[in-house]
Amino acid sequence: MKKSLLSLAFVAIFGFSATASTPIDGEKKQIKVSESTVTWKGYKVTGEHNGNINLKSGHLEMNGKKLTGGEFVIDMTSITCNDLEAGKGKEKLEGHLKSADFFGVESNPTSKLVFTSVKAMNNNSYTVTGDLTIKGITKPVTLVVSMFENKASATMKVDRTKFDIKYGSGSFFDNLGDKAIYDDFDLVVDLAL
């Protein structure tokens, strides 16, 4: 019924994890995961990388046409890089993002986002606070969710260091020079309901 774009620049591409919320006299609208996208973008001193991560499952909770909650699980093992070609660094970057230096997908194959508070800004947009879990660490995040028809979209900035992803961070390591990777990555989520 509406569209929610969750920004997952997910540089260190990601996953979400959190606790469930209960709809207020409402219904759960299941996300069509095969028609939804999660895009990440990470930044470094010398440029940026971007890619996708697959949704594993998710739903929005509605009371009539009003958003009241939601929960999403991301398949961290599906992290891909879109700006590099096969044989030209793509496989190396994807493997590194899946390693313990970043998302540690062998031990943490999923991430989760659970809405804990939803406040209407207008008829189509909501300020959402939620619990984001990456690598087994849960932290609060705030994002704006916009809904239109049978789609929803959201964008958010994630500080990877809050989830113990410190590789190449100038906040934790000196003398990185042009090898430094910025702490924040962006996530953009387009959901089909």
Side-chain angles (χ1 to χ4, degrees):
M1 288 179 122
K2 298 184 180 183
K3 181 173 186 176
S4 173
L5 170 81
L6 301 173
S7 235
L8 202 185
F10 190 67
V11 152
I13 302 322
F14 33 108
F16 298 38
S17 178
T19 60
S21 58
T22 304
I24 303 172
D25 192 28
E27 66 175 302
K28 288 184 180 180
K29 294 286 189 183
Q30 294 301 316
I31 301 303
K32 296 176 183 174
V33 296
S34 65
E35 298 175 32
S36 300
T37 61
V38 178
T39 304
W40 62 268
K41 186 181 279 189
Y43 306 90
K44 57 185 181 173
V45 172
T46 58
E48 62 187 46
H49 289 293
N50 65 75
N52 293 94
I53 304 170
N54 293 337
L55 275 170
K56 186 170 185 172
S57 64
H59 67 269
L60 291 176
E61 296 167 4
M62 308 295 297
N63 184 1
K65 294 189 177 203
K66 299 289 184 191
L67 179 66
T68 60
E71 182 173 328
F72 308 91
V73 178
I74 304 294
D75 177 3
M76 297 305 292
T77 67
S78 71
I79 294 170
T80 61
C81 175
N82 294 342
D83 64 292
L84 296 175
E85 294 179 27
K88 296 186 178 182
K90 177 180 175 67
E91 297 84 357
K92 182 177 179 183
L93 178 57
E94 289 174 355
H96 198 196
L97 290 172
K98 293 176 184 180
S99 77
D101 283 345
F102 285 96
F103 296 103
V105 302
E106 189 172 308
S107 301
N108 302 283
T110 61
S111 292
K112 189 174 193 177
L113 175 65
V114 177
F115 294 179
T116 57
S117 171
V118 178
K119 294 184 178 152
M121 297 169 56
N122 57 46
N123 287 340
N124 297 333
S125 298
Y126 301 84
T127 300
V128 174
T129 302
D131 288 331
L132 175 62
T133 303
I134 299 174
K135 289 182 74 172
I137 300 168
T138 303
K139 298 290 181 180
V141 294
T142 301
L143 57 142
V144 173
V145 175
S146 298
M147 301 186 66
F148 302 96
E149 301 297 320
N150 291 324
K151 298 187 179 219
S153 64
T155 302
M156 68 182 187
K157 195 168 282 296
V158 177
D159 180 349
R160 65 190 175 97
T161 64
K162 291 183 177 182
F163 301 92
D164 198 31
I165 303 170
K166 298 176 184 173
Y167 181 88
S169 170
S171 300
F172 293 90
F173 302 101
D174 294 327
N175 303 316
L176 291 172
D178 65 359
K179 302 288 187 206
I181 301 168
Y182 295 116
D183 294 343
D184 291 341
F185 66 89
D186 296 321
L187 294 178
V188 175
V189 179
D190 289 310
L191 303 175
L193 306 174

